[in-house]
Amino acid sequence: MRPSFTEYFMGFAKQASSRSSCIRAQVGAVIVDVNNKIKSTGYNGTPSKVISCMEKGLCYRVENNIPSGTRYETCQSIHAEQNAIIQAGEKTCRNGTIYMYGHDQICILCKRFIVQAGLKDVYIQKNESSEIIHFSVEDIRRDLNNMQKVTS
């Protein structure tokens, strides 16, 4: 059976996740344009020429029991979504869709990247047995706006 575009691109995101150099999570991302053409891929890992946790054999966040979703400044990795956006550039991202494999939520930092890059839709899937979840960028903007109201 022929996969839907969502299933097809999620497969690419899953493949990208296999390149992750993070001990804690293996996440991949793919950005496609409005014509369903792949424009960029990314995976979580350290910046170029920086020794990864995988190479060191330990993760500072794991060693210090830092909960997921907190204290991002303690992680030396760049998130998969951020890497894909950096690789593509804003002009290429505009009105496109990003597919992410390996997570079931989007962190606050990546929400801001996704909105600023001009992407339109987001699909995420934690693993093969989980559902693919869709978010519009308008949903993400609402989350960001509501967060400001709560903290103001």
Side-chain angles (χ1 to χ4, degrees), residues 26-31 40-45 72 78-89 93 98-114 117 119 122-124 140:
Q26 288 68 53
V27 182
V30 174
I31 294 175
S40 179
T41 64
Y43 50 87
N44 58 327
Y72 292 111
I78 299 171
H79 290 185
E81 311 89 302
Q82 294 170 348
N83 259 329
I85 290 166
I86 290 165
Q87 298 299 321
C93 290
I98 188 166
Y99 297 85
M100 297 180 297
Y101 182 88
H103 270 312
D104 57 3
Q105 62 182 350
I106 307 166
C107 81
I108 186 70
L109 297 172
C110 291
K111 284 180 180 181
R112 293 185 295 215
F113 267 71
I114 288 166
L119 290 161
V122 179
Y123 291 88
I124 63 175
I140 294 171

Side-chain angles (χ1 to χ4, degrees), residues 22-26 53 57-68 70-71 74-75:
C22 177
I23 291 175
R24 195 172 196 168
Q26 288 68 53
C53 295
L58 62 98
C59 169
Y60 177 86
R61 293 174 61 81
V62 170
E63 296 290 315
N64 290 280
N65 297 315
I66 298 171
S68 183
T70 66
R71 299 187 50 211
T74 64
C75 181

Side-chain angles (χ1 to χ4, degrees), residues 8 36 40 73 76 82 126-127 140:
Y8 178 68
N36 289 317
S40 179
E73 73 279 3
Q76 66 185 46
Q82 294 170 348
K126 175 69 174 170
N127 54 46
I140 294 171

